Amino acid sequence: MTIAVEKVLYTARATANGGRDGKVATDDGKLDVLVVPPAEMGGSGNGTNPEQLFAAGYAACFHSALKVVARKARLDVDGSTVTAEVGIGPINGGAGYGLEVALVVSLPGLDRGAAEDLVAKAHQVCPYSNATRGNIEVDLKVA
């Protein structure tokens, strides 16, 4: 199922030069980083990589979705955190690469049942979750 945006509220624009071994920058200059393959994939590891950037974006976006859902449910999520773990590896017998994600959510002020319910609801609201649903495995974990 394709998700259609009803009205674009903001468009981010980034340009890569050199792929996994180059640089990426946004048009507004707020992000300008060297991109280098991690040592685990044969690179120097002396820079960031696309998986780290994806993990950072997903963690921030999911945490915002969690806070929205919590506010509507009148639940206190002060002190909560979201850690995104993005893995990359071969698929289709090595014909390409794919990603997998684990979202580790810490909600210290809630009991486990309420936390799991809130995380499941946030997963339905988060734009990254909506974009990846049905495409890659996303494992939701309550810490």
Side-chain angles (χ1 to χ4, degrees):
M1 176 178 124
T2 301
I3 296 173
V5 174
E6 294 173 12
K7 177 183 176 187
V8 174
L9 302 175
Y10 169 75
T11 299
R13 184 172 291 106
T15 301
N17 184 337
R20 287 186 162 274
D21 203 359
K23 78 174 240 173
V24 64
T26 56
D27 63 340
D28 63 5
K30 292 182 181 178
L31 179 73
D32 190 343
V33 295
L34 292 176
V35 182
V36 179
E40 297 85 347
M41 294 177 66
S44 70
N46 293 329
T48 191
N49 59 65
E51 292 71 39
Q52 289 174 326
L53 295 169
F54 187 77
Y58 203 160
C61 191
F62 195 88
H63 199 222
S64 289
L66 186 75
K67 290 167 63 176
V68 165
V69 172
R71 186 172 53 250
K72 288 181 181 178
R74 293 191 160 92
L75 294 172
D76 182 7
V77 293
D78 284 348
S80 62
T81 61
V82 175
T83 301
E85 302 170 352
V86 175
I88 183 171
I91 59 171
N92 301 325
Y97 288 86
L99 301 175
E100 66 179 25
V101 175
L103 295 174
V104 183
V105 183
S106 174
L107 290 157
L110 298 180
D111 66 60
R112 186 157 199 87
E116 288 174 349
D117 183 57
L118 196 62
V119 167
K121 288 177 179 171
H123 191 46
Q124 297 305 309
V125 172
C126 175
Y128 275 67
S129 293
N130 287 331
T132 59
R133 186 170 293 109
N135 296 309
I136 65 172
E137 186 168 328
V138 177
D139 185 19
L140 304 174
K141 300 177 181 183
V142 174

